Amino acid sequence: KDFDMIISLACNARVYDLVVNPDLALENFVMTFNVLEFARKNNIKKIIYSSSREIYGGMSIDNRSRKFIESKVEIKDIESSYAATKMGAEALLYAYKKCYNIDFIILRFSNVYGALNDIQTRVIPQFIKNCKEDKDLIIYDKNKEFDFTYISDTISGLLLSIENFDGVKNNTFNIASGKSTSLYAIARLIKKYAHTRRNKSRI
């Protein structure tokens, strides 16, 4: 209990898993509640919470601007129970600020990737693994685009939030690259640079 800030990064993060097993969504929400209760009971007044770009739902690919704007979040745009847990957690943070004066920073992460991430349910590690095994890289929507963020940039955003907490508290920030990349372009890059014996993978 001898600390003054909580950084909450833990959650069940795979969207599909929460659709198949909604109990995982409940667990996400309860985890955030437990963190906030721990803070309240132990007089910890600073929390940094990891939210997600998924909270933007249907506007994740906005043909007019292709921008994620912090204030542009509406319940009707939520497309998954995972995103709903993130929206609910953000609401809890606002409630605990008003009721118990616990300050917060919400960071919305966007498709984080990087070294040592070998979780095969994520697209970049999966594409790399498939290339190494000369398997096909399957894309269901050639035009689908995402804002991918390298892990060191994500960590930099987190560290800056810690260092500048008092100056930017009780706000929400997108930690992202600021540009979209198609899954097809990602697949082509990985196929180009993957070191394989036969390089027979197809996209």
Side-chain angles (χ1 to χ4, degrees):
K1 300 173 184 179
D2 186 23
F3 49 86
D4 61 3
M5 180 186 295
I6 296 173
I7 301 167
S8 178
L9 301 174
C11 75
N12 298 308
R14 191 176 181 225
V15 175
Y16 178 78
D17 288 347
L18 273 70
V19 172
V20 173
N21 184 2
D23 285 345
L24 296 176
L26 175 61
E27 190 173 90
N28 275 359
F29 193 77
V30 171
M31 273 194 284
T32 305
F33 172 78
N34 288 339
V35 166
L36 285 164
E37 275 295 280
F38 180 85
R40 180 181 69 83
K41 291 175 180 178
N42 293 285
N43 199 34
I44 299 165
K45 296 297 186 181
K46 297 179 180 180
I47 292 180
I48 295 178
Y49 176 73
S50 59
S51 190
S52 168
R53 60 157 290 280
E54 290 287 338
I55 204 168
Y56 296 102
M59 67 165 293
S60 60
I61 299 178
D62 186 335
N63 291 324
R64 294 165 297 173
S65 65
R66 295 186 181 275
K67 301 284 186 185
F68 299 157
I69 302 170
E70 288 83 0
S71 61
K72 285 285 187 179
V73 172
E74 298 184 37
I75 290 176
K76 64 181 178 61
D77 293 322
I78 294 296
E79 294 184 331
S80 68
S81 52
Y82 170 73
T85 65
K86 290 299 181 181
M87 176 174 274
E90 290 189 15
L92 271 179
L93 287 162
Y94 276 91
Y96 271 69
K97 165 59 183 172
K98 291 180 179 179
C99 294
Y100 310 113
N101 200 32
I102 297 173
D103 292 317
F104 64 84
I105 294 176
I106 294 168
L107 301 179
R108 292 181 185 150
F109 297 146
S110 179
N111 300 292
V112 180
Y113 73 98
L116 305 181
N117 181 358
D118 60 355
I119 302 171
Q120 297 306 311
T121 55
R122 300 189 67 82
V123 66
I124 290 179
Q126 185 180 67
F127 281 175
I128 291 171
K129 180 176 183 290
N130 285 7
C131 275
K132 285 182 176 180
E133 297 175 357
D134 293 310
K135 295 179 180 178
D136 293 342
L137 280 60
I138 299 171
I139 299 171
Y140 295 102
D141 184 348
K142 184 177 179 180
N143 298 314
K144 192 84 169 177
E145 296 184 355
F146 295 99
D147 187 329
F148 290 93
T149 317
Y150 193 64
I151 182 64
S152 61
D153 296 321
T154 304
I155 293 169
S156 293
L158 179 57
L159 291 176
L160 284 169
S161 298
I162 296 169
E163 293 165 6
N164 298 282
F165 188 95
D166 290 333
V168 296
K169 62 187 178 183
N170 306 319
N171 280 297
T172 299
F173 301 97
N174 289 314
I175 306 297
S177 70
K179 61 182 180 180
S180 60
T181 305
S182 71
L183 291 180
Y184 184 71
I186 293 287
R188 288 187 64 184
L189 274 174
I190 291 172
K191 180 172 166 54
K192 178 180 178 181
Y193 291 108
H195 298 291
T196 64
R197 289 171 297 177
R198 297 182 295 276
N199 198 21
K200 291 184 177 180
S201 300
R202 297 175 301 170
I203 302 173

